[in-house]
């Protein structure tokens, strides 16, 4: 059964593809800002989950390298300081469990900040161009 992170990666990739597919249909500056922030949201979300899964894979591989008899467990005769450290990394790593939620919050905050900034910038640019036309 896939993890929430794997499902989140698939969701992020599909959402990014959908956002990219509507790019040419957007004409208004406000909608362009919304499009850019949606692209940032889904691509950042996907990237954070992907990095979390790659990190988890390497922790798992490091831990399996200490399983000398390949029985799926680190037995007492296989314990070393490095094995204990790798085991602690795996058991104390709660980042993977909450990554789908934390990545969603972080990417939403970053995207909302970007959206607000981009809308204000576009509004100022439109206002400036209207003012320059009036003074001509």
């Amino acid at each position: 059964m896939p993890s929430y992170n794997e499902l989140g990666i698939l969701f992020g990739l599909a959402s990014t593809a959908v956002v990219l597919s509507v790019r040419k249909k957007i004409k208004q500056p406000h909608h362009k800002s919304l499009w850019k922030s949606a692209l940032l949201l889904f691509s950042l979300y996907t990237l954070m989950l992907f990095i979390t899964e790659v990190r988890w894979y390497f922790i798992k591989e490091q831990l399996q390298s200490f399983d000398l008899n390949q029985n799926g467990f680190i037995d007492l005769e296989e314990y070393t300081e490095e094995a204990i450290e790798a085991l602690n990394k795996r058991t104390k790593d709660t980042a993977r469990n909450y990554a789908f939620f934390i990545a969603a919050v972080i990417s939403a905050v970053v995207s909302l900040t970007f959206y607000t900034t981009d809308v204000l910038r576009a509004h100022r640019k439109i206002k400036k161009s209207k003012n320059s036309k009036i003074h001509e």
Side-chain angles (χ1 to χ4, degrees), residues 33-135:
S33 297
L34 187 61
W35 178 84
K36 288 189 267 184
S37 63
L39 182 62
L40 178 63
L41 172 78
F42 294 122
S43 58
L44 186 60
Y45 181 71
T46 304
L47 179 65
M48 287 193 293
L49 288 181
F50 182 76
I51 289 170
T52 302
E53 284 300 304
V54 167
R55 181 177 174 271
W56 185 256
Y57 173 79
F58 282 113
I59 289 172
K60 188 172 87 173
E61 288 298 312
Q62 180 188 18
L63 188 59
Q64 287 178 351
S65 71
F66 295 108
D67 184 14
L68 301 177
N69 60 4
Q70 302 299 319
N71 67 348
F73 302 100
I74 297 180
D75 298 325
L76 288 176
E77 58 272 356
E78 297 170 332
Y79 268 80
T80 62
E81 289 296 319
E82 294 87 15
I84 293 171
E85 186 178 322
L87 188 60
N88 285 338
K89 276 185 187 177
R90 174 125 189 212
T91 57
K92 293 180 181 179
D93 185 20
T94 59
R96 181 177 186 246
N97 299 336
Y98 301 109
F100 70 95
F101 178 71
I102 294 169
V105 170
I106 291 171
S107 58
V109 168
V110 169
S111 297
L112 186 61
T113 303
F114 175 80
Y115 174 72
T116 305
T117 305
D118 200 45
V119 165
L120 291 173
R121 183 194 55 79
H123 181 70
R124 232 181 287 141
K125 187 177 178 180
I126 292 169
K127 193 174 182 181
K128 193 177 202 180
S129 68
K130 285 182 181 178
N131 285 341
S132 66
K133 288 180 183 179
I134 291 172
H135 293 293

